[in-house]
Amino acid sequence: KIPRVHNRYRRRDRMQANYRIRTDLALETKERFEEDNVEISGVVIEESYDEEKDIQTTLVRIETEKGAKAMGKPQGIYITMEAPNMSVPDQDYHREISKELARHLRKLASLDKEKSVLVVGLGNRAITPDAVGPKAADRTLVTRHLIAMAPEHFGGFRPVAALAAGVLGTTGVESGEIVKAVADKIAPRAIIAVDALAA
């Protein structure tokens, strides 16, 4: 029996070797190239570390089609923030991380204050590791309707709408289809999608 168990594990290891690990983070793709000492043409990487906040930020800018092909991602800017202490229940620290994230979002969007934004929470609120998106949508300060109804009180706010799109398994509709339908109707200048990824 023992040799059969060993053979089963060897067979499993061979099967795993045939599959590539898929990731959605440009940071991890960049690290894979670094391990092989490969420079990627058309890709600019900037790293910074804030010692006071203990935040490592990596910006990967894919500038050319050649770089996009090498990275397996469309041209664009990919920002990864790593904050190891986020698991600590410290509201002040969480606020600092939120401000840093907001700074990056403002820079990426570079929108005038009157331009509207749609915040989309992707995921299944009934499953804890997938509920980050819907919870973010629930906690978003929505102002689009308030600005229209009472501009004298809310005119200084950016028009923001929020949507928790649900998942195909519970709605029967792909999240992307729901988001597109809403975006076509309200025409936001930017869409911010919040997703738990593989958390």
Side-chain angles (χ1 to χ4, degrees):
K1 287 186 177 179
I2 291 171
R4 208 170 13 208
V5 171
H6 286 310
N7 285 339
R8 179 161 36 108
Y9 284 119
R10 275 200 293 272
R11 200 163 48 245
R12 186 192 67 188
D13 291 342
R14 280 197 305 271
M15 285 173 57
Q16 287 177 340
N18 292 332
Y19 294 99
R20 274 184 54 208
I21 294 171
R22 292 193 61 219
T23 177
D24 201 42
L25 296 177
L27 168 67
E28 291 177 2
T29 306
K30 175 215 59 135
E31 287 170 349
R32 186 168 45 88
F33 280 104
E34 281 179 350
E35 285 172 11
D36 299 333
N37 293 317
V38 175
E39 260 191 53
I40 313 158
S41 175
V43 178
V44 176
I45 298 163
E46 298 170 20
E47 294 178 314
S48 63
Y49 176 68
D50 186 322
E51 193 171 343
E52 186 183 332
K53 297 174 185 171
D54 192 20
I55 305 173
Q56 173 75 32
T57 304
T58 305
L59 185 145
V60 178
R61 186 182 293 112
I62 302 175
E63 298 180 330
T64 65
E65 280 297 325
K66 186 177 179 183
K69 190 172 181 183
M71 294 289 284
K73 299 187 175 307
Q75 289 181 33
I77 299 171
Y78 299 82
I79 299 172
T80 303
M81 287 173 50
E82 296 172 87
N85 292 324
M86 277 298 286
S87 59
V88 177
D90 180 345
Q91 288 189 355
D92 290 334
Y93 182 71
H94 292 179
R95 193 174 297 110
E96 289 299 318
I97 301 299
S98 298
K99 286 179 182 176
E100 187 67 12
L101 177 60
R103 185 178 70 78
H104 286 298
L105 288 173
R106 275 195 300 272
K107 192 173 176 183
L108 282 172
S110 66
L111 296 177
D112 297 331
K113 202 166 186 179
E114 69 275 4
K115 304 297 183 189
S116 66
V117 171
L118 172 63
V119 176
V120 178
L122 299 171
N124 186 340
R125 69 173 68 246
I127 300 174
T128 301
D130 200 31
V132 172
K135 285 186 175 186
D138 291 346
R139 295 178 183 204
T140 299
L141 176 63
V142 292
T143 56
R144 182 174 173 267
H145 64 302
L146 298 173
I147 292 167
M149 291 188 317
E152 66 279 9
H153 298 295
F154 298 98
F157 287 84
R158 174 187 302 284
V160 175
L163 168 69
V167 292
L168 179 65
T170 58
T171 64
V173 184
E174 288 283 3
S175 300
E177 294 172 348
I178 295 170
V179 174
K180 185 179 185 316
V182 172
D184 287 347
K185 181 70 176 174
I186 69 172
R189 193 62 183 273
I191 298 173
I192 298 173
V194 182
D195 190 7
L197 190 64

